[in-house]
Amino acid sequence: DPQVQPQALVGKAMPDVALPDLEDGRPVRLQALAAEGPMLVNFFASWCAPCVAEHPFLMRLQRAGVPLMGVAYKDRPADSLAFLRRHGNPYGRIGVDQPGRVAIDWGLYGVPETYLIDKTGLIRWRWAGPITEEV
């Protein structure tokens, strides 16, 4: 829906979706992961140059103990896995949104895009573009 403004999702429940896991294909339910505590949900793709630019900072966040959930957006699983082997894997779990349908529910503009989710599943913050130290 082109009328949906992604910032309008801030303060609302994140879309309750299940995605196939990048590594084993089992369903990953984002809502269930949020119940474990606050987390960042980061949409990325191997073909995305800004995703490469933000990746070192995501690795720093992961080393600092920040829970990160990845969503591989419109990417072939083999390409996503190669990207993570090359740059490191900051994500606790990675769902695959190859057709981009889940991204529509989230109001995604493009990649990278990151959402802060609280333990109740509410979206508290959204950032379109690479996450950097300044952000």
Side-chain angles (χ1 to χ4, degrees):
D1 182 351
Q3 302 305 313
V4 172
Q5 297 297 315
Q7 286 303 97
L9 295 176
V10 174
K12 295 188 174 142
M14 67 183 202
D16 188 15
V17 297
L19 293 167
D21 185 271
L22 178 62
E23 294 182 347
D24 63 21
R26 290 182 301 157
V28 176
R29 286 211 49 236
L30 301 178
Q31 284 281 42
L33 293 174
E36 297 174 12
M39 68 177 178
L40 293 175
V41 175
N42 176 257
F43 286 78
F44 75 98
S46 65
W47 45 262
C48 163
C51 296
V52 174
E54 88 169 343
H55 210 78
F57 192 72
L58 294 179
M59 293 298 295
R60 281 183 53 199
L61 290 175
Q62 185 264 341
R63 285 190 299 273
V66 175
L68 290 158
M69 164 68 188
V71 178
Y73 171 72
K74 289 191 173 183
D75 206 4
R76 293 182 329 169
D79 293 341
S80 297
L81 287 167
F83 175 87
L84 295 170
R85 277 193 299 275
R86 187 174 325 116
H87 300 288
N89 183 356
Y91 307 110
R93 298 287 304 272
I94 304 165
V96 175
D97 185 19
Q98 196 166 11
R101 299 292 311 157
V102 168
I104 291 170
D105 294 340
W106 284 72
L108 195 78
Y109 277 4
V111 286
E113 202 157 304
T114 305
Y115 299 80
L116 173 63
I117 311 300
D118 73 13
K119 66 180 180 177
T120 68
L122 293 180
I123 297 172
R124 294 298 181 177
W125 178 79
R126 172 190 168 268
W127 185 260
I131 297 289
T132 62
E133 182 130 10
E134 293 78 26
V135 173

